[in-house]
């Protein structure tokens, strides 16, 4: 007889949803909910992480080409970092220990990770950590609505059927670590400057480098548009002259001013007898609810928030206010159960925002309600929870209201428009065209003050049919071809979801698209909704791209890095090829080590042939007087080397940035250490540096340990002894 069932959920909100679906009274204590013979607990992110090379051998602390490639037959795990832990939350070490005690008492474990490979690994790795031998069932957590969760609890499957998905994610994480540590060390040491490389980071840098090349290589060309005023039944309508189309089915341009002037003379005063007017009614559906990327893009254009800001704001809305559903979603669709819950949710939302739109109809079922489009997550929508707008920050309020608006829109009528088009064919394959759009019923648009304006003219007043008319006037507009615009953080974030469109290798393009098949909003992507904003921020922090006036541009160092790297590790091809292996792992066709071994072979080849690759042009990190070593973590300015330390160039007004890393510290424990440029780069990249020069003044002796960059509200950033030095009981304080 089963006495205790332990449910381990991937996140708190999921754990609570599962608890709500289990009947009976509940008690909550130390992050666990007890209901009958169930105990429900949860994790927060990966509780375990892969060991770093220095966890095996401290000699790996020093970056040295001679020991590459670094590889271990079995990559071990350790308890993860508490870097993003919130105040009052258990540490990962505490939570892991608690789960271990619960597993000893459990007769049955219910695995409640997200229904994807990463969600499978999150819980599986904990079960392996404690060598749990009891029965494990898998809960389908794709739909977390109450009725769906009740049904899922009654239809558990054997977790063994799903373990291959977890091994697939494990193989990818090991491969990512291998690429990061080996390639970063290899190219850093061979170029004597800090260069970090990653499967997602480097192709993302490539997007910016390629965009910059298009912009800077663009040669402006003038062209000319000809417009004329056509009088039809007393209505003056502006029509544009269109030349014939080319072989790519694109309208040609008039590139010669003389030709444009000849057409101007030809058209003025002409009587037209073959003007065709057509009308067509169009239905405009409301936009789908947000996923994280779409919400980040919206907030960037409307409020100027960065993707990273939006991630943090939505995290607060979800965790601190319970105002929205899971915020890291990559899906824009909702389930049938969500539609059933809508009357109650809408009532609460209208009360929260103190606004009820005219025309909303709870019986309207937009196309977003589609079970077949649900992935591991569903769209970001408001919850059926009381929210006091006064308790939200301005940023939280803006984002919450946007999420509410896009949810409410699903219950508003479609907008109905009438498009009227004019076509008049003239000689040499040319034609005159004009379009006017009249909104017959605004529908959902009534709650969107920022809706795109339609082009309306008197053309809409004409009935469908054939007309005659006179050209009373004409004009020429001189224009120039424009290069693509520079990336913003939001547009780069979006392009990471569809990097396949820039891939020229058809096989790789197909693999990338196949990887995202069935995922709405992901069209041959790299990275995930949860990681993309961090990757962009890291590229800025590491000095590979820079931001000015919210536009991104690759730095000389970033361009050089991308130039010197071999294609095997700098393109999106790596993600595509790994996915192919992962598919076979998930289907049980191959062992997970096949992917790891394949990646190791690539790394080994690059290490052996490192002398064949070009080197960074050393002059690109030189300014007139200073060496730029990275980007300031406070303001994003250039950090340069000076006589006594490394400081931010934005130290003058109006920024007055105070960021400095002193070469010599006043602290006695660090008094024997001189921080070099390479050390400063690594410290700003968030790395700990192992040293044998820590000093105990009391005992007048040196000892080993790690140093890192820490932050204090009063003193800002400073070099300090890392906590891990004393946590590992190595060395002594001074």
């Amino acid at each position: 007889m089963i006495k205790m069932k332990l449910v381990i959920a991937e996140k708190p909100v999921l754990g609570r949803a599962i608890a709500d679906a289990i009947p009976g009274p509940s008690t909550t204590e130390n992050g666990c909910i007890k209901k009958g013979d169930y105990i429900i607990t949860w994790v927060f992110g990966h509780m375990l992480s892969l060991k770093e090379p220095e966890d095996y051998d401290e000699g790996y602390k020093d970056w040295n080409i001679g020991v590459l490639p670094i590889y271990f037959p079995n990559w071990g795990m350790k308890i993860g970092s508490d870097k993003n832990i919130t105040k009052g939350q258990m540490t990962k070490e505490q939570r892991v220990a608690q789960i271990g005690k619960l597993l000893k008492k459990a007769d049955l474990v219910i695995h409640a990770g997200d229904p994807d490979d990463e969600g499978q690994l999150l819980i599986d790795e904990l079960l392996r950590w404690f060598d749990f031998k009891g029965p494990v069932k898998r809960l389908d957590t794709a739909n977390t609505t109450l009725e769906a969760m009740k049904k899922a609890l009654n239809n558990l499957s054997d977790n063994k059927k799903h373990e291959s998905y977890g091994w697939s994610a494990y193989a990818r994480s090991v491969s990512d670590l291998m690429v990061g540590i080996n390639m970063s060390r290899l190219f850093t040491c061979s170029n004597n400057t800090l260069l970090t490389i990653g499967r997602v980071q480097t192709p993302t840098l490539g997007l910016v480098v390629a965009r910059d090349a298009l912009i800077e290589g663009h040669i402006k060309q003038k062209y000319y548009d000809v417009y004329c005023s056509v009088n039809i039944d007393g209505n003056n309508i502006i029509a544009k002259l269109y030349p014939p189309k080319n072989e790519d089915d694109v309208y040609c341009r008039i590139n010669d001013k003389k030709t444009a002037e000849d057409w101007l003379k030809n058209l003025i005063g002409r009587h037209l007898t073959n003007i065709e007017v057509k009308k067509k009614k169009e239905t405009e559906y409301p936009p789908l609810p947000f996923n994280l990327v779409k919400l980040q893009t919206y907030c960037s254009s409307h409020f100027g928030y960065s993707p990273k800001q939006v991630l943090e704001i939505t995290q607060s809305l979800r965790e601190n206010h319970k105002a929205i559903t899971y915020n890291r979603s990559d899906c824009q669709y909702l389930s049938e159960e969500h539609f059933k819950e809508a009357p109650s949710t809408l009532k609460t939302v209208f009360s929260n925002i103190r606004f009820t739109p005219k025309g909303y109809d709870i019986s309207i079922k937009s196309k977003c309600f589609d079970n077949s489009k649900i992935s591991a997550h569903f769209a970001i929508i408001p919850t059926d929870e009381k929210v006091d707008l006064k308790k939200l920050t301005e940023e939280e309020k803006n984002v919450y209201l946007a999420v509410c608006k896009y949810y409410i829109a699903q219950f508003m009528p479609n907008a109905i428009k009438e498009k009227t088009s004019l076509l008049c064919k003239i000689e040499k394959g040319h034609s005159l065209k004009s379009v006017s759009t009249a909104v017959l019923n605004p529908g959902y648009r009534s709650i969107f003050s920022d809706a795109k304006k339609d082009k309306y003219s008197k053309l809409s007043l004409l009935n469908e049919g054939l007309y005659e008319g006179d050209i009373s006037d004409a004009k020429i507009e001189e224009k120039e071809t424009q290069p693509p615009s520079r990336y913003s953080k939001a547009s780069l974030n979006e392009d990471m979801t569809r990097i396949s469109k820039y891939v020229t290798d058809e096989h790789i393009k197909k693999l990338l698209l196949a990887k995202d098949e069935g995922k709405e909003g992901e069209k041959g992507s790299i990275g995930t909704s949860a990681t993309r904003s961090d990757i962009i921020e890291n590229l800025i922090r590491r000095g590979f791209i820079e931001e000015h006036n919210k536009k991104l541009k690759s730095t000389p160092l970033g361009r050089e890095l991308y130039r010197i790297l071999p294609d095997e590790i700098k393109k999106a091809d790596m993600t595509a090829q790994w996915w192919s292996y992962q598919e076979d792992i998930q289907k049980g066709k191959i062992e997970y080590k096949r992917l790891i071994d394949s990646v190791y072979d690539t790394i080994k080849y690059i290490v052996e042939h490192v002398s064949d690759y070009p080197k960074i042009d050393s002059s690109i990190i030189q300014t007139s007087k200073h060496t730029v070593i990275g980007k300031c973590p406070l303001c994003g300015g250039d950090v340069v080397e000076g006589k006594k330390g490394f400081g931010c160039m934005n130290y003058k007004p109006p920024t007055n940035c105070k960021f400095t890393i002193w070469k010599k510290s006043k602290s006695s424990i660090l008094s024997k250490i001189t921080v070099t440029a390479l050390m400063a780069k690594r410290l700003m990249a968030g790395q700990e540096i192992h040293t044998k020069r820590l000093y105990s003044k009391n005992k007048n002796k040196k000892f080993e340990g790690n140093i890192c960059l820490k932050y204090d509200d009063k003193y800002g950033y400073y070099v300090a002894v890392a906590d891990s030095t004393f946590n590992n009981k190595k060395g002594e304080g001074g």
Side-chain angles (χ1 to χ4, degrees), residues 2 43 63 65 71 145 150 183 230 272 358 436 447 468 488 527 537 552 557 581 654 656 668 670:
I2 295 176
V43 296
W63 288 25
I65 286 184
Y71 169 81
T145 56
K150 287 179 180 178
M183 296 297 93
V230 185
L272 305 173
K358 293 180 181 178
S436 174
I447 64 171
E468 295 186 9
S488 65
E537 295 294 340
L552 300 178
L557 180 62
Y581 276 100
N656 293 315
S668 62
L670 302 173

Side-chain angles (χ1 to χ4, degrees), residues 2 25 60 69 76 111 155 194 229 262 283 353 368 383 489 498 579 626 670 688 693 712:
I2 295 176
Y60 285 123
H111 182 313
N155 291 277
L194 182 63
S229 178
D262 289 343
T283 300
I353 66 176
C368 85
T383 60
K489 288 178 180 176
R498 54 191 179 222
W579 173 81
H626 303 282
L670 302 173
E688 292 185 6
R693 298 181 64 81
D712 180 272

Side-chain angles (χ1 to χ4, degrees), residues 185-436:
R185 293 178 184 220
L186 179 69
F187 286 96
T188 291
C189 293
S190 61
N191 288 277
N192 198 31
T193 189
L194 182 63
L195 301 172
T196 56
I197 294 155
R199 175 179 58 88
V200 178
Q201 174 189 292
T202 309
T204 302
L205 171 62
L207 286 174
V208 183
V209 170
R211 175 66 58 89
D212 291 344
L214 286 175
I215 293 168
E216 291 158 23
H218 177 74
I219 300 174
K220 290 184 178 181
Q221 293 184 326
K222 290 183 179 181
Y223 66 97
Y224 303 87
D225 284 339
V226 179
Y227 296 89
C228 56
S229 178
V230 185
N231 188 292
I232 305 174
D233 289 352
N235 298 297
N236 278 320
I237 296 162
I238 303 299
K240 180 181 175 182
L241 176 69
Y242 283 84
K245 291 183 178 180
N246 59 23
E247 61 273 12
D248 296 321
D249 200 34
V250 176
Y251 284 108
C252 296
R253 286 179 171 148
I254 300 174
N255 296 316
D256 177 60
K257 189 173 183 179
K258 175 71 166 54
T259 303
E261 290 171 344
D262 289 343
W263 272 108
L264 192 73
K265 295 173 185 176
N266 182 294
L267 290 171
I268 293 176
R270 181 184 289 203
H271 179 72
L272 305 173
T273 59
N274 58 334
I275 302 172
E276 184 180 19
V277 174
K278 290 185 176 182
K279 287 183 175 290
K280 181 181 179 182
K281 282 190 178 179
E282 294 183 345
T283 300
E284 185 178 275
Y285 301 100
L288 293 169
F290 291 117
N291 63 16
L292 179 58
V293 171
K294 295 297 182 185
L295 181 57
Q296 287 168 324
T297 301
Y298 177 92
C299 291
S300 173
S301 62
H302 287 72
F303 314 123
Y305 302 159
S306 72
K308 179 75 171 177
Q309 279 180 285
V310 177
L311 185 58
E312 291 169 351
I313 293 166
T314 53
Q315 196 79 6
S316 176
L317 284 171
R318 181 172 71 91
E319 293 183 351
N320 299 334
H321 304 284
K322 299 180 175 59
I324 62 172
T325 56
Y326 183 61
N327 62 314
R328 297 174 184 239
S329 173
D330 59 2
C331 179
Q332 288 187 268
Y333 288 84
L334 299 170
S335 67
E336 296 290 335
E337 289 297 322
H338 284 111
F339 182 72
K340 293 176 184 177
E341 294 173 352
S344 177
T345 303
L346 278 174
K347 183 179 178 181
T348 301
V349 169
F350 292 152
S351 174
N352 289 343
I353 66 176
R354 297 181 181 178
F355 170 73
T356 304
K358 293 180 181 178
Y360 97 91
D361 184 346
I362 198 63
S363 68
I364 293 175
K365 191 175 186 181
S366 82
K367 63 180 181 179
C368 85
F369 296 101
D370 187 341
N371 283 346
S372 68
K373 300 286 182 68
I374 300 290
S375 61
H377 309 113
F378 53 84
I380 303 171
I381 60 172
T383 60
D384 190 1
E385 295 279 346
K386 177 67 177 174
V387 177
D388 185 352
L389 295 184
K390 293 179 181 178
K391 293 182 179 179
L392 303 183
T393 65
E394 181 183 357
E395 291 81 6
E396 289 171 342
K397 180 179 176 181
N398 287 338
V399 174
Y400 177 67
L401 291 176
V403 171
C404 290
K405 179 168 67 172
Y406 273 64
Y407 176 68
I408 294 169
Q410 310 312 310
F411 305 94
M412 297 288 290
N414 300 323
I416 306 298
K417 302 190 293 187
E418 182 181 65
K419 181 181 282 187
T420 306
S421 58
L422 176 153
L423 171 66
C424 181
K425 294 180 179 179
I426 53 180
E427 67 270 20
K428 298 180 181 179
H430 289 60
S431 57
L432 296 172
K433 294 184 178 184
S434 183
V435 175
S436 174

